[in-house]
Amino acid sequence: MSRQALSAWRYFAASRPLQVALLAVFLAGWGFHAVRTFEDPVLGGLFRWIGIDFGFFYAHAQVFAHGDLAELYSVDAAAPYRDALAAYANGAGPLPSGPVPFPPIYAWLISPMALLPAPLAFAIWTAVNAVGAIALAWRAASFYTAERRLLAGILVLVSTAVIFSLWFGQPQLILALAFGEAFIALRKGRDLTAGVWLAVVLFKPQYLVLILPVLLWKRRWRALAGFVAGGLAILVASVLVAGPSTFVEYLGTLIDSATASGGTLLTAVAPDVMVNWRALVLRAPLDLPDTVRVAITLILSGLTVAALVVAWRGPWLPTGARFAGQMTLLAIATVLTAWHSHIHGVAMIAVPLAALLASGISRDTLDRAIGLGIRVVVGAAIVGPWLWFAVLDRSHTEANRMVAVALVIGFILLLALLQRRGSEPDAVLATSQVAPA
């Protein structure tokens, strides 16, 4: 980085007015795009594109509120409520339909929404998730010194993963916050607490497919005990509110939605807009049969897990300088290898990534270059999709693919950085570097 660029960066990083202006520019871009989308004659209004996922949740809550527990996971039972939501959407034809693969306790938690008009319920839901976005940004920013916290928080708030979580009406930000709290608890040696936080992520179990084996490998029994306790609490609560047979139906819906619901194994659940290996292989401009593409996806996923194993070799050192990088690598690998992995899942990376970047850049020339490369990739993954989708009004599919490619490049760079540091003694973090409780 040239001296002029470095000086400009330092000036920007120290100027809160410029950072607030940056936030305003980003939010204005997203806001104007939301208005254009809302007014679109085909995809506009609510619940066809804006709030599409919340529309599923609202119909799910309606089924629960009307006492149809045996039909809670029936697409046909939710269809009348989905049809009623079409009154708030533009375009012709019914809204898309599909199951809600969350445990029954989720339906119980959101059932008060069924008492409200759908637009008001979505507004309240968005406000709650906006609080979650701010909490996630605050958690990520807490690793930085006071003068850098605002900028760190802004970069989380304006990221595509966070904005799309709000846009679709996803609960992903709450899960990302829980994952971040688990990371912080592990750094502090509070394994039992970390496990309980990880149990919250059970609402989307695909984001646990790698961290649980790592905890088992590293014999973190207290963390696993906390996870089991939290998981049992979700199970018992679900059975109490809906009955054991409905919980069994949920398990079937979960498996079906992650595999072949709405298509073949390769094309289920709109993989073209995902941010994982499945999406990248599916969209590759090659004339390959689906079976070959599935095989390539599995091979790339296997190589990703193998690289993760290499990076996690050695003793468990949560206070070590490498731990934030290891957890960031694990979160990236999870998003890339999970079969059902949409853009909002990238929010899971926010807290460990912030801890990694807050640790500074090494004085070693090659380490410094890799560290700068990681920061450039992070910046590109935030600015690129925003320019493409929100400002230029181009396809969100390509915007999501930008994020997926950034994840792959970031994974490779971070793996290289961890491997270079793997032969060095793992420095212990100062107390001031550990985020507050």
Side-chain angles (χ1 to χ4, degrees):
M1 183 180 291
S2 68
R3 290 185 178 180
Q4 293 84 355
L6 184 60
S7 296
W9 166 250
R10 287 175 176 170
Y11 178 77
F12 174 76
S15 174
R16 293 201 170 192
L18 284 179
Q19 293 167 27
V20 171
L22 174 70
L23 174 63
V25 169
F26 266 99
L27 293 183
W30 285 119
F32 285 129
H33 186 78
V35 171
R36 291 197 303 268
T37 303
F38 186 83
E39 295 175 346
D40 187 281
V42 177
L43 295 176
L46 295 177
F47 310 124
R48 193 178 298 280
W49 178 231
I50 297 176
I52 181 173
D53 290 340
F54 179 78
F56 290 112
F57 304 149
Y58 185 80
H60 190 58
Q62 290 282 357
V63 175
F64 184 92
H66 285 82
D68 301 327
L69 299 183
E71 301 293 325
L72 187 59
Y73 293 96
S74 167
V75 175
D76 291 338
Y81 306 112
R82 291 286 296 164
D83 292 343
L85 293 178
Y88 303 105
N90 296 343
L95 296 177
S97 61
V100 177
F102 289 2
I105 188 60
Y106 181 74
W108 179 81
L109 289 171
I110 65 173
S111 60
M113 296 286 185
L115 304 176
L116 304 173
L120 176 59
F122 180 48
I124 294 173
W125 182 257
T126 302
V128 171
N129 281 288
V131 172
I134 293 170
L136 183 66
W138 173 80
R139 254 319 188 195
S142 65
F143 295 98
Y144 292 81
T145 57
E147 62 272 15
R148 296 294 176 92
R149 287 176 188 163
L150 177 62
L151 178 58
I154 286 172
L155 293 178
V156 172
L157 286 175
V158 302
S159 66
T160 306
V162 170
I163 295 296
F164 271 14
S165 292
L166 297 171
W167 185 289
F168 297 140
Q170 273 281 330
Q172 187 67 53
L173 298 175
I174 305 301
L175 305 188
L177 189 59
F179 187 84
E181 292 298 323
F183 162 71
I184 291 170
L186 289 173
R187 294 225 311 179
K188 291 172 176 265
R190 299 173 181 171
D191 285 19
L192 187 65
T193 302
V196 174
W197 278 114
L198 285 176
V200 177
V201 187
L202 267 172
F203 284 90
K204 290 196 175 185
Q206 67 266 32
Y207 295 117
L208 296 168
V209 294
L210 295 182
I211 190 169
L212 293 181
V214 166
L215 293 176
L216 183 63
W217 172 27
K218 297 299 180 179
R219 301 180 182 182
R220 309 316 299 171
W221 307 126
R222 288 177 62 82
L224 291 169
F227 172 77
V228 170
L232 286 174
I234 293 173
L235 186 155
V236 171
S238 293
V239 170
L240 287 176
V241 301
S245 60
T246 301
F247 188 82
V248 173
E249 286 293 325
Y250 150 69
L251 295 177
T253 297
L254 179 65
I255 294 170
D256 187 51
S257 66
T259 53
S261 176
T264 66
L265 181 63
L266 182 68
T267 61
V269 204
D272 52 315
V273 295
M274 290 186 183
V275 289
N276 51 9
W277 283 122
R278 182 157 70 122
L280 291 173
V281 173
L282 178 66
R283 302 293 294 186
L286 300 172
D287 186 17
L288 298 173
D290 283 359
T291 52
V292 174
R293 290 182 187 267
V294 169
I296 293 173
T297 301
L298 295 177
I299 290 170
L300 290 172
S301 297
L303 291 173
T304 302
V305 173
L308 187 69
V309 170
V310 171
W312 273 90
R313 287 183 305 176
W316 174 268
L317 292 173
T319 58
R322 298 176 72 240
F323 188 70
Q326 289 173 313
M327 285 293 288
T328 303
L329 198 74
L330 186 150
I332 296 174
T334 299
V335 173
L336 285 174
T337 60
W339 199 253
H340 187 133
S341 182
H342 284 284
I343 181 68
H344 35 77
V346 180
M348 305 284 293
I349 300 169
V351 174
L353 176 61
L356 168 70
L357 298 181
S359 63
I361 300 179
S362 170
R363 293 182 181 275
D364 178 88
T365 302
L366 184 54
D367 281 7
R368 186 177 182 83
I370 296 174
L372 287 172
I374 292 172
R375 286 161 172 79
V376 169
V377 170
V378 171
I382 294 172
V383 176
W386 172 76
L387 282 174
W388 183 262
F389 180 65
V391 177
L392 299 178
D393 199 25
R394 306 294 290 273
S395 169
H396 74 288
T397 302
E398 281 74 21
N400 290 359
R401 198 172 309 127
M402 292 177 190
V403 176
V405 171
L407 289 172
V408 173
I409 297 173
F411 183 89
I412 295 171
L413 290 174
L414 181 51
L415 178 64
L417 186 64
L418 288 174
Q419 286 302 102
R420 282 187 53 78
R421 294 179 178 179
S423 59
E424 303 173 1
D426 213 354
V428 177
L429 291 171
T431 304
S432 61
Q433 288 180 280
V434 180

